[in-house]
Amino acid sequence: MAIKQDYYEVLGVPRNASDEEIKRAFRKLAFQYHPDRNRESGAEQKFKEVNEAFQVLSNPEKRNMYDRYGRVDVDGGFQDFGFGGLGDIFESFWDGFGTIFGRTGQRGPQKGDSLQTNLTLSFEEAVFGCEKEVEVSRIESCPSCHGTGSKPGINPETCPDCRGNGQVRRVQQSIFGRYTSTTTCSRCGGIGAVIRDPCSQCRGRGLIKAKRKISVTIPAGVDDGYRLRIDREGSAGAYGGPPGDLYVAFSVKSHSLFHRNGSDILLELPINFAQAALGDELRVPSLDGKVDLKIPPGTQNGKTFRCKGKGIPSLDGRGRGDLLVKILIATPQHLDKNQRRIFEELAKVLPRTEPPPDA
């Protein structure tokens, strides 16, 4: 999915909103966030977002492409949308900001959208790393026309309205004097060229939607929620720009024995009263197989022993965490006659534990 705010959400309208509803919502938000009226932090950025959303949703061709593909290339300038009711002063400021923030000349290269996909790993795959394959849907340059949008062998023609610049200039008189604004050419959409004979595969768009399987090398030590970036595996860029990136977000399954705590892993080890009182030597599981663990006499419930270097590999390749073995003294629930007799004899010689007196 493309990592970009939804234009309909920006304007606060449903996806089936009419042109008039879109214009009305835009007028309200543009007046609210106009930088010359709203000096709050973030107002100018919100004003740009509202303008960008309106540029797309008020244009039938751009709106159709956005609805189908989830993206469309938008010029960063502010346009004159030709509706009244905001007053001459607001109109003059509107055109002035088109000159301040707008681009001049033909559109430059634009990086493609970044995408994200989710991948579930087993505990061992996350710990030791692995190779996986993910499938993504992305926008790619048309292989038939190589992104020109024109039929193979036929080059696009220079736009007669903007003469290849991608933008047109307009001079307007207001109460503050003459203002010159630069807006995207409506005929070529800012490309600077028009397509007389469109490519049959992409229908003149220069882009197609495709599904691709991509091999992912997962480093050792990734955790639940970790995101891996794969350069240039996102959607194709526009006007010769580079592709976006692909982000792979991981979900890691739980393990039947081990619990992860950063780069350490925790193992809860049940032992009986005799093992805790007299001590013992055990072979306990780890990520690398069985390891020796010495339990000293008098070990208490909850005591934790550390096995160095038996935990999770560090993502930066600098060593590993530890295996933490937490002792749980298991109380027998069912005793036979002989076991009960032994415990009764033991109870006679062990000091009796009394509850603390009242405060």
Side-chain angles (χ1 to χ4, degrees):
M1 60 181 177
I3 306 175
K4 190 176 182 70
Q5 191 171 7
D6 188 285
Y7 288 147
Y8 291 99
E9 292 182 0
V10 170
L11 294 182
V13 297
R15 301 191 75 85
N16 61 349
S18 65
D19 292 341
E20 183 60 33
E21 288 175 319
I22 291 173
K23 182 183 293 186
R24 189 162 53 244
F26 167 72
R27 180 185 302 170
K28 177 181 177 182
L29 293 172
F31 195 80
Q32 177 182 350
Y33 292 108
H34 193 287
D36 279 290
R37 298 188 68 258
N38 192 330
R39 298 294 185 179
E40 295 181 2
S41 176
E44 182 177 310
Q45 179 60 35
K46 184 67 177 178
F47 183 64
K48 293 180 182 179
E49 293 173 0
V50 168
N51 174 73
E52 179 179 324
F54 185 72
Q55 285 192 44
V56 173
L57 300 185
S58 64
N59 184 303
E61 293 183 4
K62 291 182 179 180
R63 183 178 181 181
N64 180 58
M65 181 175 289
Y66 179 72
D67 288 341
R68 293 181 64 185
Y69 300 114
R71 71 182 293 274
V72 66
D73 299 307
V74 181
D75 194 317
F78 297 98
Q79 299 184 13
D80 175 17
F81 300 102
F83 56 80
L86 297 184
D88 293 338
I89 296 178
F90 185 73
E91 288 291 343
S92 65
F93 277 124
W94 186 267
D95 292 332
F97 270 85
T99 304
I100 295 172
F101 292 107
R103 298 178 183 174
T104 57
Q106 197 170 2
R107 292 185 181 184
Q110 298 177 15
K111 185 175 181 178
D113 283 337
S114 291
L115 307 177
Q116 177 170 303
T117 187
N118 300 318
L119 186 61
T120 300
L121 303 175
S122 70
F123 191 87
E124 290 81 359
E125 288 173 334
V127 168
F128 296 111
C130 60
E131 293 284 335
K132 288 284 188 178
E133 196 173 65
V134 296
E135 184 176 82
V136 297
S137 295
R138 65 187 184 186
I139 303 299
E140 296 184 350
S141 179
C142 176
S144 180
C145 66
H146 303 290
T148 65
S150 188
K151 187 175 181 179
I154 301 177
N155 293 325
E157 300 177 6
T158 301
C159 176
D161 289 4
C162 65
R163 299 180 181 180
N165 290 323
Q167 295 188 335
V168 294
R169 300 180 67 189
R170 180 172 63 89
V171 179
Q172 180 175 330
Q173 185 72 33
S174 75
I175 61 174
F176 294 102
R178 290 165 57 90
Y179 286 90
T180 301
S181 63
T182 302
T183 60
T184 302
C185 176
S186 60
R187 183 164 188 172
C188 68
I191 299 174
V194 292
I195 298 171
R196 302 294 186 186
D197 197 351
C199 169
S200 59
Q201 183 171 354
C202 66
R203 299 180 182 180
R205 298 185 181 93
L207 300 169
I208 61 170
K209 194 171 185 178
K211 287 187 176 181
R212 291 287 181 260
K213 290 185 177 180
I214 300 171
S215 180
V216 181
T217 300
I218 301 168
V222 298
D223 202 354
D224 194 74
Y226 179 82
R227 284 207 319 167
L228 178 68
R229 187 183 72 181
I230 305 175
D231 292 341
R232 302 174 68 88
E233 289 291 357
S235 288
Y239 315 113
D245 301 325
L246 173 64
Y247 290 86
V248 183
F250 297 109
S251 297
V252 180
K253 296 179 181 178
S254 59
H255 195 275
S256 59
L257 293 177
F258 304 118
H259 303 278
R260 182 166 181 170
N261 182 19
S263 60
D264 295 332
I265 56 172
L266 174 66
L267 171 68
E268 295 183 336
L269 180 65
I271 64 174
N272 61 39
F273 286 118
Q275 289 173 302
L278 303 176
D280 202 352
E281 291 186 6
L282 301 174
R283 297 273 292 171
V284 299
S286 76
L287 294 173
D288 304 302
K290 297 284 187 176
V291 295
D292 294 325
L293 178 66
K294 185 175 181 179
I295 300 175
T299 296
Q300 300 298 305
N301 185 61
K303 173 68 176 179
T304 300
F305 297 95
R306 185 180 295 270
C307 301
K308 291 284 189 180
K310 296 299 181 181
I312 310 291
S314 175
L315 275 172
D316 60 10
R318 298 179 181 179
R320 295 175 59 174
D322 301 328
L323 168 63
L324 307 178
V325 182
K326 184 179 181 180
I327 299 299
L328 300 179
I329 299 178
T331 301
Q333 294 180 325
H334 305 285
L335 299 175
D336 59 29
K337 290 183 179 181
N338 186 52
Q339 291 170 336
R340 184 174 182 84
R341 180 185 59 80
I342 294 173
F343 270 100
E344 288 174 347
E345 291 295 327
L346 186 60
K348 294 177 183 179
V349 298
L350 289 177
R352 181 180 177 84
T353 301
E354 298 289 346
D358 295 337

